[in-house]
Amino acid sequence: MDRRRILLIDDNPNDVELALDALDASPETDIRVASSGAEALRLLLDCGEPLPDLILLDLKMPHMDGLAVLDAIRGEARLPDVPVVMLTTSGDERDIQASYAHGASGYVVKPLEFGQFRAAMSTIQAFWMGLNRRPDLR
């Protein structure tokens, strides 16, 4: 079986640590982290790198926010079908609408309590990496 790949894009080291702890890092799953939009795009545009099966993208980042990263992903010929789930602290309706308008596949507000956060991450991973079916992007 092919390894499943997740790209986590988040500038907050504490949130990254929590997400990595909450995600199931099984031997079949490779989780990469980018701490900025620019770093994420470098990874995604490197044709030598395999495409992720799922991108978890923070909305509120300095220099290049999640919507700008999402626009770049959706505008790239080899990336438009990669699922991008916004994973953010913002529950603002304008942010939710903007994310979907820019091509987000899903939008999840990070729960503050770790048990709920772990459950949310488990659900995201189970759906996008297991239940959801899509064409092979490789």
Side-chain angles (χ1 to χ4, degrees), residues 4-76:
R4 305 294 290 185
R5 293 172 180 82
I6 297 173
L7 175 59
L8 173 64
I9 307 168
D10 198 320
D11 66 308
N12 184 319
N14 294 327
D15 286 350
V16 168
E17 186 176 333
L18 288 173
L20 291 175
D21 190 43
L23 286 167
D24 176 22
S26 67
E28 296 85 33
T29 305
D30 178 30
I31 303 168
R32 306 258 339 240
V33 176
S35 60
S36 71
E39 180 183 358
L41 292 175
R42 277 193 302 277
L43 287 172
L44 290 166
L45 299 177
D46 180 353
C47 291
E49 286 288 319
L51 290 176
D53 297 291
L54 175 65
I55 297 171
L56 301 174
L57 175 58
D58 187 22
L59 182 62
K60 308 289 186 184
M61 295 186 295
H63 310 295
M64 184 179 206
D65 70 10
L67 293 179
V69 175
L70 187 55
D71 285 342
I73 289 169
R74 292 301 182 230
E76 214 22 72

Side-chain angles (χ1 to χ4, degrees), residues 55-125:
I55 297 171
L56 301 174
L57 175 58
D58 187 22
L59 182 62
K60 308 289 186 184
M61 295 186 295
H63 310 295
M64 184 179 206
D65 70 10
L67 293 179
V69 175
L70 187 55
D71 285 342
I73 289 169
R74 292 301 182 230
E76 214 22 72
R78 75 186 277 248
L79 299 174
D81 296 325
V82 176
V84 178
V85 174
M86 305 307 285
L87 185 62
T88 180
T89 57
S90 173
D92 187 293
E93 185 63 27
R94 291 174 302 215
D95 289 335
I96 296 168
Q97 289 181 8
S99 294
Y100 281 107
H102 287 256
S105 307
Y107 192 100
V108 176
V109 177
K110 296 175 187 175
L112 296 177
E113 198 275 320
F114 183 69
Q116 292 174 344
F117 183 75
R118 180 184 290 279
M121 296 301 283
S122 177
T123 301
I124 291 168
Q125 192 169 7

